[in-house]
Amino acid sequence: MGSLGRMLEHKMPFYLFYCRDIEDRESAAQIRRELLPDHLGYVERNMSRYAVAGPNRDKDAAYRSSTFVIKADSFAEADEVMQGDPYVEGGLYQEILNVEFVPMAGDWVGGAAWKL
């Protein structure tokens, strides 16, 4: 059974954050470059909180957004993790969409959750 499958057994909630970069592409790229070491350090210090995290590329292979799936007991707890990220604090994102994410199938889940 995969690690997500084990977490599903314990009913650990997941919260998905889709973070869209600011429209000014040059400024966004500059923020990403300048804050990357701090951002990565923050992620490393909070690694146990992330089910998965990473940037998203557009059709031109340019970074335009990021996705984070955070393990937490509540939305407020997950949001606290997000708000502490240097990319958030540094103004990289113009919009952060968030929802509770329920992983039900796939490699990360260890198959089909309804069969685990």
Side-chain angles (χ1 to χ4, degrees):
M1 178 183 306
S3 61
L4 279 178
R6 284 190 295 279
M7 284 183 243
L8 281 172
E9 282 184 347
H10 296 87
K11 309 243 188 287
M12 168 68 78
F14 295 88
Y15 298 90
L16 185 144
F17 292 81
Y18 176 77
C19 307
R20 198 162 53 109
D21 290 9
I22 57 176
E23 289 293 326
D24 182 338
R25 292 180 178 192
E26 287 181 30
S27 293
Q30 181 178 350
I31 292 169
R32 280 185 178 276
R33 276 191 308 275
E34 289 177 1
L35 295 181
L36 181 61
D38 293 338
H39 166 70
L40 294 178
Y42 182 81
V43 170
E44 286 179 9
R45 287 189 304 279
N46 292 280
M47 189 65 70
S48 66
R49 306 307 304 269
Y50 298 101
V52 67
N56 305 311
R57 294 184 186 182
D58 66 11
K59 62 183 176 178
D60 299 319
Y63 296 121
R64 299 283 183 255
S65 61
S66 300
T67 301
F68 302 86
V69 178
I70 297 175
K71 302 174 281 186
D73 290 324
S74 67
F75 172 76
E77 186 180 310
D79 191 53
E80 185 176 319
V81 173
M82 276 306 306
Q83 294 306 315
D85 189 300
Y87 277 172
V88 174
E89 292 176 342
L92 175 60
Y93 305 125
Q94 72 172 343
E95 179 179 33
I96 299 176
L97 303 173
N98 49 69
V99 294
E100 185 173 349
F101 176 68
V102 183
M104 292 303 295
D107 290 342
W108 293 344
V109 176
W114 55 92
K115 293 183 176 185
L116 298 177

